[in-house]
Amino acid sequence: MEDSELAVLRVEIDKIDAQMVELLAKRFNITNQVGALKAQKKLSAIDPEREARQAQRYTELANEFGVKPQVVQNLFRGIIDEVVVNHRAIAMQTAFQ
């Protein structure tokens, strides 16, 4: 592969990375709204049933798009863990208002 080919591919990767970060920001914006609703309704930051359904969905999506399911599971586990941290913080803020 020529250096120019490599550079072109890396530019494409960088564009996709930027799109992924933008989507992640949008996702966190929405999950923060979910966290606020959960706090108002005094619901737990963790929803094991939803997480189980989503884990199955992530595996199905991974298989559909030809990505190793464990890679997708690991990615979303990290995202969900951060969402739970955010939901707990929102609940604490709401409790002191």
Side-chain angles (χ1 to χ4, degrees):
M1 181 179 302
E2 294 180 19
D3 288 344
S4 62
E5 287 179 276
L6 183 59
V8 167
L9 292 172
R10 286 182 171 163
V11 166
E12 288 300 310
I13 290 169
D14 291 348
K15 288 177 185 177
I16 292 168
D17 288 349
Q19 292 170 344
M20 290 172 65
V21 172
E22 180 182 4
L23 288 172
L24 189 59
K26 289 178 181 179
R27 189 183 196 286
F28 277 117
N29 183 310
I30 294 168
T31 59
N32 285 342
Q33 293 174 51
V34 169
L37 284 173
K38 283 183 171 183
Q40 289 172 1
K41 297 177 185 262
K42 301 199 182 324
L43 298 173
S44 174
I46 299 172
D47 185 344
E49 291 177 13
R50 166 116 173 121
E51 287 185 24
R53 286 191 309 273
Q54 288 299 91
Q56 179 61 40
R57 183 172 165 266
Y58 299 145
T59 295
E60 291 168 4
L61 287 168
N63 288 328
E64 178 182 341
F65 290 102
V67 179
K68 291 180 184 176
Q70 195 57 53
V71 170
V72 175
Q73 292 292 343
N74 291 344
L75 174 68
F76 278 100
R77 183 75 261 158
I79 292 169
I80 291 167
D81 289 348
E82 184 63 23
V83 167
V84 169
V85 167
N86 291 342
H87 285 189
R88 287 180 174 153
I90 291 167
M92 291 293 285
Q93 291 171 349
T94 303
F96 291 111
Q97 290 179 355

